[in-house]
Amino acid sequence: MKTILRGVVLKEYLTLKTFVAKVIGLTCALGSGMPLGKEGPFVHIASLCAALLSKFMSLFGGIYENESRNIEMLAAACAVGVGCCFAAPIGGVLFSIEVTSTFFAVRNYWRGFFAATFSAFIFRVLAVWNREEETITALFKTRFRLDFPFDLQELPAFAVIGIASGFGGALFVYLNRLIVQFMRKQKTINKFLMKKRLLYPALVTLLISTLTFPPGFGQYMAGKLTQKESLVTLLDNRTWAKQGIAEEFDYIGHSQAWQHPQVNVFVTLVIFIVMKVTLA
């Protein structure tokens, strides 16, 4: 999207064929429990919708054939992708500005915000229609007390977690870059990837599903939980240890998946982090 918004034409990137393939592929990928995110694909799908809507509307009015208007539509679509992924319209607009960092028209602010807000609203309404929620609520709810949500002393801890996560993300991107560079230099791997395009993802899927199989090694990393369930249990404010001893605590609901009779919960968490980062 950064490339397209800078005026470079990429063939077949915003076509109906790509849209169908992307929606089916993303549905299967997320349903499989693979350690894959949905933010990037959601931005791509939203951009596809914007491009296809522009083509459709150009049948009724010539203004949508204008290249400048198409760029504005795609900038708003980037905000929509993030907005409906995390139900966070402000984050969506900030992402849209980040993607179009060289030039972002002021008139796109309200367009992006309106589109992202509407997409976030529809995203949460769908949860009500599917009877997953009783009413429109936050995507990841917390149970903090409203009168006294946290101590002032906790703010430095939150800051440290944010800094550590930032460095962790940078390390992940750096390691990913090294892997890609290594694979590009290897002629044998390149030849294999070009000839056996379907075999490579099949082997990766088989490897990951084998390692995370709940009755197998997956039992040491809460393998039976979906990505959302693991996030909910990791981010709630219930303690998993009593006076530093995990065994004395009663696990309830999804948090039971983190408990193993042979391994301490802290070992399970370390294995979970290492495996998720490595497999991703």
Side-chain angles (χ1 to χ4, degrees), residues 140-177:
F140 295 106
K141 294 186 286 293
T142 58
R143 297 183 186 85
F144 295 119
R145 292 176 299 163
L146 294 175
D147 55 339
F148 195 75
F150 52 83
D151 285 319
L152 197 61
Q153 296 95 313
E154 289 179 305
L155 289 176
F158 295 154
V160 169
I161 290 170
I163 292 166
S165 299
F167 279 114
L171 177 64
F172 181 88
V173 173
Y174 175 71
L175 292 174
N176 184 53
R177 184 181 174 187

PDB file of all heavy atoms in Angstrom, residues 140-177:
ATOM      1  N   PHE A 140     -11.229  -6.101  23.748  1.00  0.00           N
ATOM      2  CA  PHE A 140     -10.546  -6.775  24.852  1.00  0.00           C
ATOM      3  C   PHE A 140     -10.910  -6.056  26.146  1.00  0.00           C
ATOM      4  O   PHE A 140     -10.352  -5.010  26.473  1.00  0.00           O
ATOM      5  CB  PHE A 140      -9.022  -6.768  24.649  1.00  0.00           C
ATOM      6  CG  PHE A 140      -8.588  -7.569  23.462  1.00  0.00           C
ATOM      7  CD1 PHE A 140      -8.155  -6.945  22.301  1.00  0.00           C
ATOM      8  CD2 PHE A 140      -8.620  -8.956  23.489  1.00  0.00           C
ATOM      9  CE1 PHE A 140      -7.760  -7.679  21.200  1.00  0.00           C
ATOM     10  CE2 PHE A 140      -8.219  -9.701  22.397  1.00  0.00           C
ATOM     11  CZ  PHE A 140      -7.800  -9.066  21.243  1.00  0.00           C
ATOM     12  N   LYS A 141     -11.870  -6.624  26.860  1.00  0.00           N
ATOM     13  CA  LYS A 141     -12.378  -5.991  28.081  1.00  0.00           C
ATOM     14  C   LYS A 141     -11.399  -6.204  29.238  1.00  0.00           C
ATOM     15  O   LYS A 141     -10.729  -7.222  29.321  1.00  0.00           O
ATOM     16  CB  LYS A 141     -13.750  -6.576  28.463  1.00  0.00           C
ATOM     17  CG  LYS A 141     -14.844  -6.269  27.459  1.00  0.00           C
ATOM     18  CD  LYS A 141     -16.183  -6.742  27.955  1.00  0.00           C
ATOM     19  CE  LYS A 141     -16.322  -8.247  27.885  1.00  0.00           C
ATOM     20  NZ  LYS A 141     -16.346  -8.758  26.523  1.00  0.00           N
ATOM     21  N   THR A 142     -11.353  -5.211  30.132  1.00  0.00           N
ATOM     22  CA  THR A 142     -10.581  -5.338  31.363  1.00  0.00           C
ATOM     23  C   THR A 142     -11.542  -5.361  32.547  1.00  0.00           C
ATOM     24  O   THR A 142     -12.702  -4.964  32.417  1.00  0.00           O
ATOM     25  CB  THR A 142      -9.601  -4.157  31.537  1.00  0.00           C
ATOM     26  OG1 THR A 142     -10.352  -2.936  31.533  1.00  0.00           O
ATOM     27  CG2 THR A 142      -8.579  -4.115  30.425  1.00  0.00           C
ATOM     28  N   ARG A 143     -11.044  -5.818  33.665  1.00  0.00           N
ATOM     29  CA  ARG A 143     -11.878  -5.867  34.870  1.00  0.00           C
ATOM     30  C   ARG A 143     -11.329  -4.929  35.949  1.00  0.00           C
ATOM     31  O   ARG A 143     -11.492  -5.175  37.134  1.00  0.00           O
ATOM     32  CB  ARG A 143     -11.933  -7.313  35.407  1.00  0.00           C
ATOM     33  CG  ARG A 143     -12.577  -8.297  34.447  1.00  0.00           C
ATOM     34  CD  ARG A 143     -12.674  -9.687  35.064  1.00  0.00           C
ATOM     35  NE  ARG A 143     -13.158 -10.660  34.091  1.00  0.00           N
ATOM     36  CZ  ARG A 143     -12.371 -11.299  33.228  1.00  0.00           C
ATOM     37  NH1 ARG A 143     -11.085 -11.072  33.214  1.00  0.00           N
ATOM     38  NH2 ARG A 143     -12.874 -12.175  32.383  1.00  0.00           N
ATOM     39  N   PHE A 144     -10.685  -3.861  35.520  1.00  0.00           N
ATOM     40  CA  PHE A 144     -10.157  -2.902  36.489  1.00  0.00           C
ATOM     41  C   PHE A 144     -11.306  -2.155  37.167  1.00  0.00           C
ATOM     42  O   PHE A 144     -12.299  -1.831  36.527  1.00  0.00           O
ATOM     43  CB  PHE A 144      -9.236  -1.881  35.800  1.00  0.00           C
ATOM     44  CG  PHE A 144      -7.995  -2.481  35.215  1.00  0.00           C
ATOM     45  CD1 PHE A 144      -7.739  -2.404  33.854  1.00  0.00           C
ATOM     46  CD2 PHE A 144      -7.078  -3.119  36.027  1.00  0.00           C
ATOM     47  CE1 PHE A 144      -6.591  -2.955  33.316  1.00  0.00           C
ATOM     48  CE2 PHE A 144      -5.918  -3.673  35.496  1.00  0.00           C
ATOM     49  CZ  PHE A 144      -5.679  -3.594  34.143  1.00  0.00           C
ATOM     50  N   ARG A 145     -11.125  -1.860  38.443  1.00  0.00           N
ATOM     51  CA  ARG A 145     -12.133  -1.081  39.156  1.00  0.00           C
ATOM     52  C   ARG A 145     -12.127   0.345  38.617  1.00  0.00           C
ATOM     53  O   ARG A 145     -11.069   0.944  38.423  1.00  0.00           O
ATOM     54  CB  ARG A 145     -11.821  -1.060  40.651  1.00  0.00           C
ATOM     55  CG  ARG A 145     -11.977  -2.411  41.340  1.00  0.00           C
ATOM     56  CD  ARG A 145     -11.545  -2.315  42.787  1.00  0.00           C
ATOM     57  NE  ARG A 145     -10.138  -1.929  42.879  1.00  0.00           N
ATOM     58  CZ  ARG A 145      -9.557  -1.459  43.979  1.00  0.00           C
ATOM     59  NH1 ARG A 145     -10.268  -1.302  45.081  1.00  0.00           N
ATOM     60  NH2 ARG A 145      -8.283  -1.140  43.989  1.00  0.00           N
ATOM     61  N   LEU A 146     -13.300   0.906  38.380  1.00  0.00           N
ATOM     62  CA  LEU A 146     -13.385   2.251  37.804  1.00  0.00           C
ATOM     63  C   LEU A 146     -12.978   3.326  38.806  1.00  0.00           C
ATOM     64  O   LEU A 146     -12.435   4.362  38.429  1.00  0.00           O
ATOM     65  CB  LEU A 146     -14.812   2.514  37.296  1.00  0.00           C
ATOM     66  CG  LEU A 146     -15.264   1.638  36.121  1.00  0.00           C
ATOM     67  CD1 LEU A 146     -16.726   1.907  35.793  1.00  0.00           C
ATOM     68  CD2 LEU A 146     -14.409   1.884  34.894  1.00  0.00           C
ATOM     69  N   ASP A 147     -13.263   3.109  40.114  1.00  0.00           N
ATOM     70  CA  ASP A 147     -12.949   4.137  41.101  1.00  0.00           C
ATOM     71  C   ASP A 147     -11.452   4.247  41.377  1.00  0.00           C
ATOM     72  O   ASP A 147     -10.936   5.318  41.685  1.00  0.00           O
ATOM     73  CB  ASP A 147     -13.706   3.865  42.413  1.00  0.00           C
ATOM     74  CG  ASP A 147     -13.432   2.460  42.956  1.00  0.00           C
ATOM     75  OD1 ASP A 147     -13.016   1.614  42.152  1.00  0.00           O
ATOM     76  OD2 ASP A 147     -13.644   2.233  44.166  1.00  0.00           O
ATOM     77  N   PHE A 148     -10.732   3.111  41.256  1.00  0.00           N
ATOM     78  CA  PHE A 148      -9.279   3.114  41.524  1.00  0.00           C
ATOM     79  C   PHE A 148      -8.629   2.066  40.627  1.00  0.00           C
ATOM     80  O   PHE A 148      -8.282   0.990  41.070  1.00  0.00           O
ATOM     81  CB  PHE A 148      -9.033   2.791  43.014  1.00  0.00           C
ATOM     82  CG  PHE A 148      -7.634   3.108  43.473  1.00  0.00           C
ATOM     83  CD1 PHE A 148      -7.249   4.422  43.698  1.00  0.00           C
ATOM     84  CD2 PHE A 148      -6.705   2.101  43.677  1.00  0.00           C
ATOM     85  CE1 PHE A 148      -5.958   4.727  44.125  1.00  0.00           C
ATOM     86  CE2 PHE A 148      -5.419   2.394  44.093  1.00  0.00           C
ATOM     87  CZ  PHE A 148      -5.052   3.710  44.325  1.00  0.00           C
ATOM     88  N   PRO A 149      -8.480   2.382  39.321  1.00  0.00           N
ATOM     89  CA  PRO A 149      -8.045   1.351  38.360  1.00  0.00           C
ATOM     90  C   PRO A 149      -6.626   0.840  38.562  1.00  0.00           C
ATOM     91  O   PRO A 149      -6.343  -0.315  38.345  1.00  0.00           O
ATOM     92  CB  PRO A 149      -8.192   2.043  36.998  1.00  0.00           C
ATOM     93  CG  PRO A 149      -8.204   3.500  37.298  1.00  0.00           C
ATOM     94  CD  PRO A 149      -8.765   3.664  38.679  1.00  0.00           C
ATOM     95  N   PHE A 150      -5.681   1.720  38.952  1.00  0.00           N
ATOM     96  CA  PHE A 150      -4.306   1.255  39.158  1.00  0.00           C
ATOM     97  C   PHE A 150      -3.568   2.226  40.079  1.00  0.00           C
ATOM     98  O   PHE A 150      -3.967   3.378  40.243  1.00  0.00           O
ATOM     99  CB  PHE A 150      -3.545   1.106  37.838  1.00  0.00           C
ATOM    100  CG  PHE A 150      -3.598   2.323  36.956  1.00  0.00           C
ATOM    101  CD1 PHE A 150      -2.730   3.385  37.157  1.00  0.00           C
ATOM    102  CD2 PHE A 150      -4.511   2.405  35.914  1.00  0.00           C
ATOM    103  CE1 PHE A 150      -2.784   4.504  36.352  1.00  0.00           C
ATOM    104  CE2 PHE A 150      -4.569   3.529  35.099  1.00  0.00           C
ATOM    105  CZ  PHE A 150      -3.699   4.587  35.329  1.00  0.00           C
ATOM    106  N   ASP A 151      -2.481   1.730  40.698  1.00  0.00           N
ATOM    107  CA  ASP A 151      -1.635   2.577  41.554  1.00  0.00           C
ATOM    108  C   ASP A 151      -0.706   3.420  40.696  1.00  0.00           C
ATOM    109  O   ASP A 151      -0.330   3.030  39.588  1.00  0.00           O
ATOM    110  CB  ASP A 151      -0.786   1.696  42.483  1.00  0.00           C
ATOM    111  CG  ASP A 151      -1.605   1.113  43.612  1.00  0.00           C
ATOM    112  OD1 ASP A 151      -2.438   1.844  44.165  1.00  0.00           O
ATOM    113  OD2 ASP A 151      -1.419  -0.076  43.928  1.00  0.00           O
ATOM    114  N   LEU A 152      -0.328   4.571  41.243  1.00  0.00           N
ATOM    115  CA  LEU A 152       0.586   5.468  40.525  1.00  0.00           C
ATOM    116  C   LEU A 152       1.934   4.799  40.304  1.00  0.00           C
ATOM    117  O   LEU A 152       2.596   5.015  39.288  1.00  0.00           O
ATOM    118  CB  LEU A 152       0.759   6.763  41.328  1.00  0.00           C
ATOM    119  CG  LEU A 152       1.330   7.968  40.561  1.00  0.00           C
ATOM    120  CD1 LEU A 152       0.419   8.357  39.410  1.00  0.00           C
ATOM    121  CD2 LEU A 152       1.533   9.152  41.496  1.00  0.00           C
ATOM    122  N   GLN A 153       2.338   3.930  41.262  1.00  0.00           N
ATOM    123  CA  GLN A 153       3.626   3.246  41.151  1.00  0.00           C
ATOM    124  C   GLN A 153       3.657   2.270  39.974  1.00  0.00           C
ATOM    125  O   GLN A 153       4.727   1.852  39.539  1.00  0.00           O
ATOM    126  CB  GLN A 153       3.930   2.455  42.435  1.00  0.00           C
ATOM    127  CG  GLN A 153       4.096   3.340  43.664  1.00  0.00           C
ATOM    128  CD  GLN A 153       2.801   3.462  44.451  1.00  0.00           C
ATOM    129  OE1 GLN A 153       1.754   3.696  43.852  1.00  0.00           O
ATOM    130  NE2 GLN A 153       2.876   3.325  45.763  1.00  0.00           N
ATOM    131  N   GLU A 154       2.476   1.895  39.468  1.00  0.00           N
ATOM    132  CA  GLU A 154       2.417   0.939  38.356  1.00  0.00           C
ATOM    133  C   GLU A 154       2.758   1.581  37.013  1.00  0.00           C
ATOM    134  O   GLU A 154       3.116   0.882  36.066  1.00  0.00           O
ATOM    135  CB  GLU A 154       1.022   0.311  38.278  1.00  0.00           C
ATOM    136  CG  GLU A 154       0.715  -0.656  39.397  1.00  0.00           C
ATOM    137  CD  GLU A 154      -0.688  -1.229  39.282  1.00  0.00           C
ATOM    138  OE1 GLU A 154      -1.653  -0.443  39.217  1.00  0.00           O
ATOM    139  OE2 GLU A 154      -0.814  -2.469  39.256  1.00  0.00           O
ATOM    140  N   LEU A 155       2.632   2.906  36.918  1.00  0.00           N
ATOM    141  CA  LEU A 155       2.886   3.598  35.646  1.00  0.00           C
ATOM    142  C   LEU A 155       4.306   3.357  35.113  1.00  0.00           C
ATOM    143  O   LEU A 155       4.469   3.098  33.917  1.00  0.00           O
ATOM    144  CB  LEU A 155       2.615   5.103  35.787  1.00  0.00           C
ATOM    145  CG  LEU A 155       1.135   5.498  35.930  1.00  0.00           C
ATOM    146  CD1 LEU A 155       1.006   6.995  36.161  1.00  0.00           C
ATOM    147  CD2 LEU A 155       0.344   5.099  34.685  1.00  0.00           C
ATOM    148  N   PRO A 156       5.365   3.436  35.955  1.00  0.00           N
ATOM    149  CA  PRO A 156       6.706   3.102  35.436  1.00  0.00           C
ATOM    150  C   PRO A 156       6.792   1.669  34.907  1.00  0.00           C
ATOM    151  O   PRO A 156       7.479   1.414  33.909  1.00  0.00           O
ATOM    152  CB  PRO A 156       7.621   3.286  36.667  1.00  0.00           C
ATOM    153  CG  PRO A 156       6.885   4.229  37.552  1.00  0.00           C
ATOM    154  CD  PRO A 156       5.433   3.925  37.345  1.00  0.00           C
ATOM    155  N   ALA A 157       6.075   0.740  35.567  1.00  0.00           N
ATOM    156  CA  ALA A 157       6.076  -0.653  35.096  1.00  0.00           C
ATOM    157  C   ALA A 157       5.430  -0.749  33.717  1.00  0.00           C
ATOM    158  O   ALA A 157       5.921  -1.462  32.828  1.00  0.00           O
ATOM    159  CB  ALA A 157       5.337  -1.547  36.090  1.00  0.00           C
ATOM    160  N   PHE A 158       4.324  -0.014  33.526  1.00  0.00           N
ATOM    161  CA  PHE A 158       3.659   0.006  32.212  1.00  0.00           C
ATOM    162  C   PHE A 158       4.607   0.562  31.145  1.00  0.00           C
ATOM    163  O   PHE A 158       4.670   0.064  30.023  1.00  0.00           O
ATOM    164  CB  PHE A 158       2.380   0.860  32.251  1.00  0.00           C
ATOM    165  CG  PHE A 158       1.304   0.329  33.150  1.00  0.00           C
ATOM    166  CD1 PHE A 158       0.367   1.180  33.709  1.00  0.00           C
ATOM    167  CD2 PHE A 158       1.204  -1.032  33.426  1.00  0.00           C
ATOM    168  CE1 PHE A 158      -0.639   0.700  34.537  1.00  0.00           C
ATOM    169  CE2 PHE A 158       0.214  -1.527  34.246  1.00  0.00           C
ATOM    170  CZ  PHE A 158      -0.714  -0.665  34.810  1.00  0.00           C
ATOM    171  N   ALA A 159       5.350   1.632  31.525  1.00  0.00           N
ATOM    172  CA  ALA A 159       6.304   2.249  30.588  1.00  0.00           C
ATOM    173  C   ALA A 159       7.412   1.268  30.206  1.00  0.00           C
ATOM    174  O   ALA A 159       7.784   1.163  29.028  1.00  0.00           O
ATOM    175  CB  ALA A 159       6.901   3.508  31.208  1.00  0.00           C
ATOM    176  N   VAL A 160       7.914   0.535  31.199  1.00  0.00           N
ATOM    177  CA  VAL A 160       8.980  -0.457  30.941  1.00  0.00           C
ATOM    178  C   VAL A 160       8.477  -1.553  30.012  1.00  0.00           C
ATOM    179  O   VAL A 160       9.176  -1.969  29.074  1.00  0.00           O
ATOM    180  CB  VAL A 160       9.490  -1.060  32.273  1.00  0.00           C
ATOM    181  CG1 VAL A 160      10.392  -2.260  32.008  1.00  0.00           C
ATOM    182  CG2 VAL A 160      10.242  -0.014  33.069  1.00  0.00           C
ATOM    183  N   ILE A 161       7.233  -2.020  30.240  1.00  0.00           N
ATOM    184  CA  ILE A 161       6.639  -3.049  29.376  1.00  0.00           C
ATOM    185  C   ILE A 161       6.521  -2.533  27.940  1.00  0.00           C
ATOM    186  O   ILE A 161       6.833  -3.238  26.975  1.00  0.00           O
ATOM    187  CB  ILE A 161       5.244  -3.474  29.902  1.00  0.00           C
ATOM    188  CG1 ILE A 161       5.403  -4.263  31.209  1.00  0.00           C
ATOM    189  CG2 ILE A 161       4.509  -4.334  28.875  1.00  0.00           C
ATOM    190  CD1 ILE A 161       4.084  -4.517  31.932  1.00  0.00           C
ATOM    191  N   GLY A 162       6.105  -1.259  27.808  1.00  0.00           N
ATOM    192  CA  GLY A 162       5.990  -0.652  26.467  1.00  0.00           C
ATOM    193  C   GLY A 162       7.328  -0.561  25.755  1.00  0.00           C
ATOM    194  O   GLY A 162       7.451  -0.894  24.568  1.00  0.00           O
ATOM    195  N   ILE A 163       8.371  -0.128  26.483  1.00  0.00           N
ATOM    196  CA  ILE A 163       9.720  -0.021  25.908  1.00  0.00           C
ATOM    197  C   ILE A 163      10.248  -1.403  25.514  1.00  0.00           C
ATOM    198  O   ILE A 163      10.791  -1.588  24.412  1.00  0.00           O
ATOM    199  CB  ILE A 163      10.680   0.660  26.914  1.00  0.00           C
ATOM    200  CG1 ILE A 163      10.284   2.125  27.099  1.00  0.00           C
ATOM    201  CG2 ILE A 163      12.129   0.574  26.431  1.00  0.00           C
ATOM    202  CD1 ILE A 163      10.922   2.793  28.294  1.00  0.00           C
ATOM    203  N   ALA A 164      10.066  -2.376  26.423  1.00  0.00           N
ATOM    204  CA  ALA A 164      10.530  -3.744  26.140  1.00  0.00           C
ATOM    205  C   ALA A 164       9.819  -4.321  24.926  1.00  0.00           C
ATOM    206  O   ALA A 164      10.435  -4.986  24.072  1.00  0.00           O
ATOM    207  CB  ALA A 164      10.288  -4.633  27.361  1.00  0.00           C
ATOM    208  N   SER A 165       8.520  -4.060  24.802  1.00  0.00           N
ATOM    209  CA  SER A 165       7.741  -4.546  23.648  1.00  0.00           C
ATOM    210  C   SER A 165       8.226  -3.898  22.356  1.00  0.00           C
ATOM    211  O   SER A 165       8.292  -4.557  21.313  1.00  0.00           O
ATOM    212  CB  SER A 165       6.247  -4.262  23.852  1.00  0.00           C
ATOM    213  OG  SER A 165       5.765  -4.910  24.996  1.00  0.00           O
ATOM    214  N   GLY A 166       8.567  -2.607  22.434  1.00  0.00           N
ATOM    215  CA  GLY A 166       9.091  -1.906  21.259  1.00  0.00           C
ATOM    216  C   GLY A 166      10.396  -2.509  20.769  1.00  0.00           C
ATOM    217  O   GLY A 166      10.573  -2.767  19.575  1.00  0.00           O
ATOM    218  N   PHE A 167      11.318  -2.745  21.703  1.00  0.00           N
ATOM    219  CA  PHE A 167      12.598  -3.377  21.344  1.00  0.00           C
ATOM    220  C   PHE A 167      12.386  -4.807  20.851  1.00  0.00           C
ATOM    221  O   PHE A 167      13.064  -5.268  19.928  1.00  0.00           O
ATOM    222  CB  PHE A 167      13.548  -3.370  22.543  1.00  0.00           C
ATOM    223  CG  PHE A 167      14.269  -2.063  22.738  1.00  0.00           C
ATOM    224  CD1 PHE A 167      14.017  -1.283  23.851  1.00  0.00           C
ATOM    225  CD2 PHE A 167      15.184  -1.612  21.797  1.00  0.00           C
ATOM    226  CE1 PHE A 167      14.675  -0.064  24.019  1.00  0.00           C
ATOM    227  CE2 PHE A 167      15.849  -0.410  21.960  1.00  0.00           C
ATOM    228  CZ  PHE A 167      15.589   0.375  23.077  1.00  0.00           C
ATOM    229  N   GLY A 168      11.432  -5.513  21.478  1.00  0.00           N
ATOM    230  CA  GLY A 168      11.103  -6.884  21.045  1.00  0.00           C
ATOM    231  C   GLY A 168      10.582  -6.906  19.616  1.00  0.00           C
ATOM    232  O   GLY A 168      10.967  -7.771  18.815  1.00  0.00           O
ATOM    233  N   GLY A 169       9.724  -5.942  19.284  1.00  0.00           N
ATOM    234  CA  GLY A 169       9.190  -5.830  17.922  1.00  0.00           C
ATOM    235  C   GLY A 169      10.283  -5.517  16.912  1.00  0.00           C
ATOM    236  O   GLY A 169      10.330  -6.092  15.820  1.00  0.00           O
ATOM    237  N   ALA A 170      11.193  -4.603  17.301  1.00  0.00           N
ATOM    238  CA  ALA A 170      12.319  -4.251  16.418  1.00  0.00           C
ATOM    239  C   ALA A 170      13.224  -5.461  16.188  1.00  0.00           C
ATOM    240  O   ALA A 170      13.694  -5.699  15.069  1.00  0.00           O
ATOM    241  CB  ALA A 170      13.114  -3.104  17.037  1.00  0.00           C
ATOM    242  N   LEU A 171      13.460  -6.248  17.253  1.00  0.00           N
ATOM    243  CA  LEU A 171      14.285  -7.457  17.138  1.00  0.00           C
ATOM    244  C   LEU A 171      13.622  -8.469  16.201  1.00  0.00           C
ATOM    245  O   LEU A 171      14.294  -9.094  15.371  1.00  0.00           O
ATOM    246  CB  LEU A 171      14.488  -8.081  18.521  1.00  0.00           C
ATOM    247  CG  LEU A 171      15.276  -9.399  18.561  1.00  0.00           C
ATOM    248  CD1 LEU A 171      16.715  -9.188  18.097  1.00  0.00           C
ATOM    249  CD2 LEU A 171      15.262 -10.005  19.964  1.00  0.00           C
ATOM    250  N   PHE A 172      12.293  -8.604  16.323  1.00  0.00           N
ATOM    251  CA  PHE A 172      11.550  -9.534  15.463  1.00  0.00           C
ATOM    252  C   PHE A 172      11.696  -9.157  13.991  1.00  0.00           C
ATOM    253  O   PHE A 172      11.961 -10.008  13.139  1.00  0.00           O
ATOM    254  CB  PHE A 172      10.067  -9.538  15.859  1.00  0.00           C
ATOM    255  CG  PHE A 172       9.224 -10.479  15.048  1.00  0.00           C
ATOM    256  CD1 PHE A 172       9.081 -11.813  15.433  1.00  0.00           C
ATOM    257  CD2 PHE A 172       8.571 -10.052  13.902  1.00  0.00           C
ATOM    258  CE1 PHE A 172       8.308 -12.683  14.691  1.00  0.00           C
ATOM    259  CE2 PHE A 172       7.801 -10.920  13.150  1.00  0.00           C
ATOM    260  CZ  PHE A 172       7.665 -12.238  13.544  1.00  0.00           C
ATOM    261  N   VAL A 173      11.527  -7.871  13.692  1.00  0.00           N
ATOM    262  CA  VAL A 173      11.651  -7.378  12.306  1.00  0.00           C
ATOM    263  C   VAL A 173      13.071  -7.607  11.786  1.00  0.00           C
ATOM    264  O   VAL A 173      13.271  -8.027  10.641  1.00  0.00           O
ATOM    265  CB  VAL A 173      11.279  -5.874  12.229  1.00  0.00           C
ATOM    266  CG1 VAL A 173      11.582  -5.315  10.837  1.00  0.00           C
ATOM    267  CG2 VAL A 173       9.806  -5.684  12.547  1.00  0.00           C
ATOM    268  N   TYR A 174      14.073  -7.348  12.646  1.00  0.00           N
ATOM    269  CA  TYR A 174      15.483  -7.530  12.264  1.00  0.00           C
ATOM    270  C   TYR A 174      15.781  -8.996  11.954  1.00  0.00           C
ATOM    271  O   TYR A 174      16.407  -9.314  10.933  1.00  0.00           O
ATOM    272  CB  TYR A 174      16.385  -7.026  13.388  1.00  0.00           C
ATOM    273  CG  TYR A 174      17.864  -7.276  13.150  1.00  0.00           C
ATOM    274  CD1 TYR A 174      18.563  -6.561  12.185  1.00  0.00           C
ATOM    275  CD2 TYR A 174      18.540  -8.242  13.896  1.00  0.00           C
ATOM    276  CE1 TYR A 174      19.916  -6.797  11.962  1.00  0.00           C
ATOM    277  CE2 TYR A 174      19.892  -8.481  13.683  1.00  0.00           C
ATOM    278  CZ  TYR A 174      20.576  -7.757  12.711  1.00  0.00           C
ATOM    279  OH  TYR A 174      21.904  -7.999  12.484  1.00  0.00           O
ATOM    280  N   LEU A 175      15.320  -9.909  12.820  1.00  0.00           N
ATOM    281  CA  LEU A 175      15.559 -11.343  12.606  1.00  0.00           C
ATOM    282  C   LEU A 175      14.844 -11.829  11.345  1.00  0.00           C
ATOM    283  O   LEU A 175      15.384 -12.634  10.578  1.00  0.00           O
ATOM    284  CB  LEU A 175      15.069 -12.141  13.819  1.00  0.00           C
ATOM    285  CG  LEU A 175      15.870 -11.947  15.115  1.00  0.00           C
ATOM    286  CD1 LEU A 175      15.193 -12.671  16.270  1.00  0.00           C
ATOM    287  CD2 LEU A 175      17.296 -12.429  14.955  1.00  0.00           C
ATOM    288  N   ASN A 176      13.625 -11.325  11.123  1.00  0.00           N
ATOM    289  CA  ASN A 176      12.868 -11.686   9.925  1.00  0.00           C
ATOM    290  C   ASN A 176      13.615 -11.247   8.659  1.00  0.00           C
ATOM    291  O   ASN A 176      13.680 -11.981   7.673  1.00  0.00           O
ATOM    292  CB  ASN A 176      11.484 -11.046   9.976  1.00  0.00           C
ATOM    293  CG  ASN A 176      10.603 -11.461   8.804  1.00  0.00           C
ATOM    294  OD1 ASN A 176      10.419 -12.643   8.550  1.00  0.00           O
ATOM    295  ND2 ASN A 176      10.093 -10.490   8.080  1.00  0.00           N
ATOM    296  N   ARG A 177      14.205 -10.065   8.737  1.00  0.00           N
ATOM    297  CA  ARG A 177      14.977  -9.540   7.603  1.00  0.00           C
ATOM    298  C   ARG A 177      16.191 -10.426   7.313  1.00  0.00           C
ATOM    299  O   ARG A 177      16.502 -10.710   6.148  1.00  0.00           O
ATOM    300  CB  ARG A 177      15.417  -8.110   7.930  1.00  0.00           C
ATOM    301  CG  ARG A 177      16.148  -7.405   6.803  1.00  0.00           C
ATOM    302  CD  ARG A 177      16.558  -6.019   7.251  1.00  0.00           C
ATOM    303  NE  ARG A 177      17.377  -5.368   6.245  1.00  0.00           N
ATOM    304  CZ  ARG A 177      17.989  -4.203   6.437  1.00  0.00           C
ATOM    305  NH1 ARG A 177      17.856  -3.565   7.559  1.00  0.00           N
ATOM    306  NH2 ARG A 177      18.719  -3.668   5.484  1.00  0.00           N
TER     307      ARG A 177
END
